[in-house]
Amino acid sequence: MRFIKPIFVCFLFLLGYNARATLLTGKVTDENGQALPFVVVYIDGTTNGTTANVDGIYSIDLKPGSYTIDYQLIGYTLHRENVEISLTNVTRNVQLQAEGIKINEVTVNGNAEDPAYGIMRHAIEKRKFYQEQVDAYSCDVYIKGLQRITKHPDKILGREIHFRELDSTSGIIYLSESVSKFNFKQTDKIREEMISSKVSGNSQAFSYNQASDMLIDFYKNNIQIDVLSQRGLISPIASNAMFFYKYHLAGSFVENGKVIDKIQVIPKRQFDPVFRGYIYIQEDSWRIHSTDMYLIKDAQINFLDTIYISQSYLPVTPDVWMMFSNKYRFVFNILGIQGNGTYVSINKNYNINPNFPKNFFNGEVLKIDDNANKKDSTYWDQTRPVPLTKEESKDYVRRDSIHAKHETKEYLDSIDARRNKFKFSNIYLGYRYNNRYHKQTFFIGPIIQTIGFNTVQGLNGGLRIGYTKEYENNKRLSIVASGGYGFSNERAYGEASMTYAFNPEKLAFIRIGGGIMPVQFNGQNPITPFLNTLYTLLEDQNYMKLYQKASVHASYTSELVNGLMFTAGTEYADRSPLVNTTSYKMFNVDNREYTSNNPQNSQNDSASFKRNNSLTISAQLKISFGQEYYTLPHEKIISDTKYPQLIFDYKKAISNPNSLDANYDFGKATLSGKFNLKLLGKTKYSLSAGKFFSQKEVYFMDYYHFYGDQIIFSSFSLEEFHLLDYYKYSTTSPFIEGHLEHHFEGFILNKVPLLRKLKLDEVLGANYMRTTTMPEYAELFVGLQKFQAFRIDYAVSFAQNARVGQGIRIGIGF
């Protein structure tokens, strides 16, 4: 019976050979023999096809039979080839002729209208019909992305930069491919499954490619690409497009018996968020045939200098056309780092009548299969529709061999040995010791960050150390400890905590810790030790108020179901008062005296409360309506959402009936979210209400404290008041507070010469709070922001219907 096994294997091989598709390959050139990149190649009447690569090389799998193959490229006449496919591969080189454009014979004189306007009115009228024509669909999507760095400085902000993966010859810094199953349902419900992913030089990584990122849908009025433009971009066939665009009929040609009009789209105003280039409209149906457009910096896009968008649509049925190929080319220059990139996608195998099961669109916008990055070269050779160029093939080989070497213990240990050497600068900048092979890190924080001055401790300093360990399936352990000494009050302090993320797919972790620390009465820490040090030493204003807290605590957090996060915790604390122990001043500013450490009475230097204990239990339920997320192998990543979030907080302090320990019940509800006004920008809001349901014994640190700000620097957190005293409105009474902030994203300043080049974001907002025992308080503010790096606001505050303050607030961050 031994001979049966090899015969059986051979039989299976022959079956596989007969079923295997034959490869049609070739090169596409122009009349001069120059390679034409990204030509669309497909079986006539279907969306089964591919595109040529940058060298004009194409390949397509075909089963034996007779085929009509179409070759299509914007600017060239559609070319057809009849091909007979048998069991052997076929090579067919094709030459395309320049588009036989019939130049518009109508001369536009005086007030005569360009014929393009009539065509575009028809297209605008049909826009919504084509946007909603298909209620749902699914398709297969292949994406290839390549990015290069062509020039870069040796240093940025004084720090040397190295691109370890950069190929000095080709400049390739990133090369990846992916294959996904993409599903869509009106309105804007998507779900994508990444079946395979390949990243050059990293077999463990997953591609950044995402089919939804390749969906620039010109049938939408406003095209939202948050990375490029927060306000969105106006489609050339938007219902209000005539306000933003001028049109010119560049010519027409006939394809498959249909007249295709080539319309040049021209911005009416240079700095509007609009496209430039050409859109091709099929007459009579007035649908988009293809696009060849681009965006420049003047269109108020971020990060990129220019991005080109080329799209081709093909009929899925005689009446339904869907996007088949999509290509982005872009050029960038960020902090002197110059480069370019290309992303190509092929959408095929459309099903425009899918039978999605109930609750199929459950918020999971992307799932990456566990084995997505484990496909071998044979799989990719058989799957990729766009052939690799020689340069890309070389990059895969070079980078994969480098990666294999870089993952060895010997190499990782050698890198660690070099980088773990202790330098003199580590004394004040901090030190990090890595063991990459075992995925462990030990660090010592910068000493400069632990040195400060306040009127309670005087000069104080300490040390912060930590340890992290990564385990299989993205589990992670983190231990952090800090300690120090106050030289004026002669007290040592310290704390430690451990966090273990044990189920990343449920966002679940536990945290335990404890210590003896001076802490702020307001647990939100409205002023940082560093800024308090500056104001105390330079302005004689000691805003930070402290008490001593000796505590142990534990908490548990996990997602119950998608969009429902639960946290429970407990803490025991021994709380003692602290007083000022130093009156040292670096400068005597206007004979200003330090205030006491009593936040309720700035002139009372005695202890502000009696020592007490607090045993609390707390719970939080966070409801994120319509939450969207990404599922990676053994990990879940929450995506941004357009729906609101509702948070319920509850805290109970437990004590013996006759003790002086804290004893109360407190609850709070917060509704927050944002909504997109498209060209007018985005609005964020937060509304809260809370009360103490019982308050047998409530100490000042247990009060509800609003997030105030009395210094010029601000974190610009949405819940932060600009001018509110840190503790004046602290309360045990029922309260409400609201925060509203609108970002115009350049809508106003875009119309002002010179200023529009700065791409500033105009901010307008208001803060409000009210308690049953204090007068209502409100703020109005306006500001300017540059990305997230810099912001400046001017604010005015009101109480009892009168203006009570004004001021400037500045924020700097990265």
Side-chain angles (χ1 to χ4, degrees):
M1 300 294 291
R2 291 183 180 181
F3 69 91
I4 294 180
K5 183 175 181 180
I7 292 176
F8 184 69
V9 171
C10 290
F11 179 70
L12 290 177
F13 174 79
L14 290 173
L15 285 177
Y17 178 81
N18 289 329
R20 183 174 61 86
T22 302
L23 207 60
L24 171 65
T25 63
K27 183 174 184 178
V28 187
T29 60
D30 63 12
E31 301 104 309
N32 300 316
Q34 297 297 314
L36 291 176
F38 307 115
V39 175
V40 176
V41 183
Y42 61 96
I43 302 172
D44 185 52
T46 75
T47 58
N48 183 13
T50 182
T51 67
N53 65 20
V54 72
D55 296 326
I57 305 298
Y58 74 93
S59 67
I60 181 172
D61 287 333
L62 298 172
K63 293 181 180 180
S66 299
Y67 296 90
T68 299
I69 306 298
D70 292 349
Y71 299 80
Q72 186 182 62
L73 181 65
I74 295 173
Y76 291 83
T77 301
L78 176 69
H79 181 87
R80 282 204 171 95
E81 289 278 330
N82 293 317
V83 180
E84 291 291 334
I85 300 297
S86 59
L87 296 178
T88 58
N89 293 341
V90 176
T91 300
R92 185 66 58 91
N93 297 323
V94 170
Q95 188 176 82
L96 299 188
Q97 302 297 315
E99 198 170 65
I101 290 288
K102 180 182 178 182
I103 303 300
N104 177 31
E105 296 175 354
V106 177
T107 302
V108 181
N109 295 317
N111 295 323
E113 184 179 67
D114 193 299
Y117 283 86
I119 297 168
M120 294 305 288
R121 287 191 186 97
H122 284 299
I124 291 170
E125 185 179 347
K126 293 286 284 186
R127 178 199 64 80
K128 189 172 183 181
F129 169 79
Y130 287 122
Q131 182 186 1
E132 299 175 351
Q133 184 182 21
V134 176
D135 179 67
Y137 70 85
S138 64
C139 65
D140 298 327
V141 182
Y142 165 83
I143 302 175
K144 178 166 68 175
L146 183 146
Q147 296 181 31
R148 305 174 191 270
I149 290 179
T150 56
K151 185 178 180 181
H152 65 84
D154 295 328
K155 293 182 178 181
I156 294 180
L157 300 177
R159 301 190 65 175
E160 293 186 2
I161 60 171
H162 301 281
F163 295 97
R164 184 167 67 97
E165 300 297 333
L166 181 64
D167 186 330
S168 59
T169 303
S170 67
I172 295 176
I173 189 67
Y174 177 76
L175 171 63
S176 73
E177 298 173 276
S178 66
V179 175
S180 298
K181 185 66 151 182
F182 183 74
N183 306 281
F184 172 87
K185 183 175 175 60
Q186 300 281 8
T187 53
D188 293 333
K189 294 180 181 179
I190 62 174
R191 185 172 182 179
E192 178 180 352
E193 180 183 5
M194 187 177 289
I195 298 167
S196 52
S197 170
K198 182 177 178 65
V199 179
S200 181
N202 193 342
S203 61
Q204 303 301 313
F206 296 100
S207 171
Y208 294 123
N209 305 341
Q210 192 172 342
S212 58
D213 291 339
M214 303 295 289
L215 286 180
I216 292 185
D217 185 358
F218 288 104
Y219 286 118
K220 291 184 176 181
N221 280 323
N222 187 282
I223 300 166
Q224 292 291 314
I225 312 174
D226 287 344
V227 176
L228 286 182
S229 173
Q230 294 293 321
R231 294 171 59 202
L233 302 158
I234 303 300
S235 168
I237 60 171
S239 56
N240 60 345
M242 293 287 180
F243 179 75
F244 293 93
Y245 289 98
K246 295 183 292 183
Y247 304 101
H248 170 65
L249 178 58
S252 305
F253 61 93
V254 177
E255 182 179 283
N256 293 330
K258 298 288 186 179
V259 177
I260 310 299
D261 295 316
K262 181 179 181 180
I263 309 295
Q264 184 180 9
V265 296
I266 307 162
K268 282 189 173 181
R269 291 166 294 277
Q270 182 179 358
F271 295 95
D272 279 346
V274 294
F275 297 86
R276 293 158 167 83
Y278 296 92
I279 184 169
Y280 293 75
I281 302 295
Q282 186 186 73
E283 284 196 13
D284 296 330
S285 67
W286 311 114
R287 62 164 51 93
I288 297 175
H289 169 274
S290 52
T291 66
D292 191 13
M293 291 186 281
Y294 63 96
L295 296 163
I296 61 175
K297 276 191 172 181
D298 287 349
Q300 303 299 301
I301 61 173
N302 301 322
F303 306 115
L304 301 180
D305 290 342
T306 310
I307 179 170
Y308 301 86
I309 302 106
S310 299
Q311 299 175 335
S312 293
Y313 290 75
L314 292 179
V316 177
T317 70
D319 298 323
V320 177
W321 287 48
M322 302 294 289
M323 186 189 300
F324 172 71
S325 72
N326 195 4
K327 181 182 67 175
Y328 298 162
R329 293 185 297 115
F330 54 87
V331 179
F332 61 87
N333 185 347
I334 304 173
L335 297 176
I337 301 174
Q338 300 177 24
N340 57 66
T342 303
Y343 279 75
V344 179
S345 70
I346 303 294
N347 297 12
K348 60 182 183 180
N349 299 329
Y350 276 97
N351 178 2
I352 59 173
N353 294 298
N355 184 20
F356 295 128
K358 186 179 180 180
N359 298 323
F360 179 77
F361 295 95
N362 59 358
E364 184 183 50
V365 295
L366 174 65
K367 177 184 178 181
I368 300 179
D369 288 354
D370 290 352
N371 296 320
N373 59 358
K374 295 178 173 60
K375 310 294 185 181
D376 59 19
S377 59
T378 302
Y379 166 87
W380 285 105
D381 290 341
Q382 295 175 349
T383 302
R384 69 167 60 91
V386 182
L388 296 177
T389 64
K390 292 181 180 179
E391 185 181 58
E392 291 165 349
S393 297
K394 180 181 176 182
D395 188 79
Y396 271 133
V397 173
R398 183 192 70 87
R399 209 181 296 249
D400 288 349
S401 63
I402 292 174
H403 177 72
K405 175 185 175 182
H406 286 182
E407 291 300 300
T408 63
K409 185 177 186 301
E410 291 75 17
Y411 178 83
L412 293 174
D413 287 348
S414 67
I415 293 295
D416 288 339
R418 185 171 72 250
R419 296 182 179 178
N420 289 340
K421 289 182 179 179
F422 190 85
K423 303 175 184 177
F424 179 78
S425 60
N426 294 132
I427 296 176
Y428 52 89
L429 293 179
Y431 175 71
R432 183 175 294 270
Y433 180 91
N434 289 309
N435 187 323
R436 299 171 194 271
Y437 186 77
H438 292 290
K439 298 182 179 180
Q440 299 177 110
T441 300
F442 170 79
F443 71 86
I444 301 175
I447 293 179
I448 194 171
Q449 292 183 355
T450 65
I451 296 175
F453 180 87
N454 61 66
T455 54
V456 172
Q457 298 173 287
L459 178 66
N460 59 88
L463 193 64
R464 183 173 181 267
I465 60 175
Y467 169 82
T468 60
K469 167 69 176 177
E470 296 180 13
Y471 299 93
E472 290 185 358
N473 301 334
N474 293 319
K475 296 178 182 179
R476 182 182 178 91
L477 173 69
S478 175
I479 301 174
V480 178
S482 61
Y485 185 77
F487 290 92
S488 180
N489 67 348
E490 298 181 345
R491 291 192 185 188
Y493 55 90
E495 64 177 348
S497 66
M498 181 195 77
T499 303
Y500 180 52
F502 61 90
N503 188 351
E505 294 174 276
K506 284 291 187 180
L507 307 173
F509 63 91
I510 57 172
R511 178 173 293 146
I512 59 174
I516 302 176
M517 293 290 292
V519 298
Q520 297 187 52
F521 282 88
N522 184 344
Q524 298 179 86
N525 299 320
I527 185 168
T528 67
F530 173 73
L531 292 176
N532 183 73
T533 297
L534 291 183
Y535 268 80
T536 303
L537 294 178
L538 302 181
E539 293 291 329
D540 295 347
Q541 293 177 308
N542 56 323
Y543 288 116
M544 191 162 68
K545 307 304 176 185
L546 304 169
Y547 71 95
Q548 180 171 286
K549 180 179 179 180
S551 66
V552 291
H553 60 84
S555 65
Y556 166 86
T557 297
S558 181
E559 188 176 53
L560 304 179
V561 295
N562 182 51
L564 190 62
M565 186 73 73
F566 176 71
T567 298
T570 184
E571 179 188 71
Y572 175 79
D574 180 353
R575 308 181 299 191
S576 304
L578 296 172
V579 297
N580 289 343
T581 62
T582 180
S583 58
Y584 171 79
K585 294 183 179 181
M586 183 175 290
F587 307 102
N588 190 2
V589 181
D590 299 331
N591 293 318
R592 188 178 291 153
E593 296 296 328
Y594 288 138
T595 58
S596 75
N597 191 49
N598 186 337
Q600 295 177 285
N601 187 344
S602 61
Q603 304 303 314
N604 183 2
D605 288 321
S606 59
S608 60
F609 65 93
K610 293 182 178 180
R611 181 176 177 178
N612 65 83
N613 296 323
S614 170
L615 174 61
T616 60
I617 56 173
S618 60
Q620 181 186 84
L621 189 65
K622 182 189 297 182
I623 306 171
S624 299
F625 298 100
Q627 177 175 279
E628 296 181 339
Y629 62 96
Y630 302 92
T631 302
L632 281 66
H634 311 296
E635 187 177 8
K636 181 176 183 177
I637 299 175
I638 303 301
S639 176
D640 207 359
T641 179
K642 59 184 177 182
Y643 299 103
Q645 184 180 83
L646 183 60
I647 301 176
F648 295 100
D649 287 291
Y650 174 75
K651 189 174 185 179
K652 180 176 182 61
I654 306 169
S655 71
N656 294 323
N658 299 320
S659 71
L660 294 177
D661 295 345
N663 191 324
Y664 60 84
D665 288 85
F666 172 77
K668 176 186 172 186
T670 302
L671 179 69
S672 62
K674 59 184 178 182
F675 46 91
N676 191 344
L677 298 179
K678 298 181 179 178
L679 281 183
L680 293 177
K682 295 182 178 179
T683 298
K684 299 187 293 184
Y685 63 89
S686 176
L687 304 170
S688 298
K691 66 175 293 185
F692 284 83
F693 298 99
S694 68
Q695 41 184 308
K696 296 178 181 178
E697 194 68 59
V698 184
Y699 292 90
F700 189 69
M701 65 282 291
D702 302 317
Y703 281 37
Y704 182 77
H705 303 286
F706 298 95
Y707 195 168
D709 189 9
Q710 292 179 250
I711 63 177
I712 194 172
F713 298 104
S714 174
S715 69
F716 289 117
S717 167
L718 180 63
E719 292 75 20
E720 181 180 16
F721 289 86
H722 281 46
L723 304 171
L724 185 68
D725 185 284
Y726 291 127
Y727 294 106
K728 180 179 179 180
Y729 284 85
S730 298
T731 184
T732 58
S733 302
F735 66 88
I736 58 172
E737 68 173 303
H739 307 271
L740 184 70
E741 188 171 287
H742 182 74
H743 292 251
F744 287 94
E745 306 290 354
F747 176 78
I748 300 172
L749 294 182
N750 182 44
K751 300 169 179 60
V752 181
L754 298 181
L755 285 180
R756 60 188 166 208
K757 289 187 175 293
L758 297 177
K759 295 184 180 178
L760 297 174
D761 171 18
E762 313 91 335
V763 183
L764 176 66
N767 299 312
Y768 176 83
M769 56 81 59
R770 183 172 186 174
T771 73
T772 57
T773 56
M774 296 287 286
E776 60 184 358
Y777 174 89
E779 297 176 348
L780 297 175
F781 59 89
V782 295
L784 294 173
Q785 179 173 293
K786 179 69 173 178
F787 302 128
Q788 299 295 322
F790 177 80
R791 177 170 161 181
I792 180 169
D793 281 10
Y794 169 74
V796 179
S797 59
F798 303 87
Q800 294 180 313
N801 298 319
R803 192 172 79 171
V804 294
Q806 62 179 343
I808 299 291
R809 293 295 179 261
I810 297 173
I812 300 174
F814 296 94

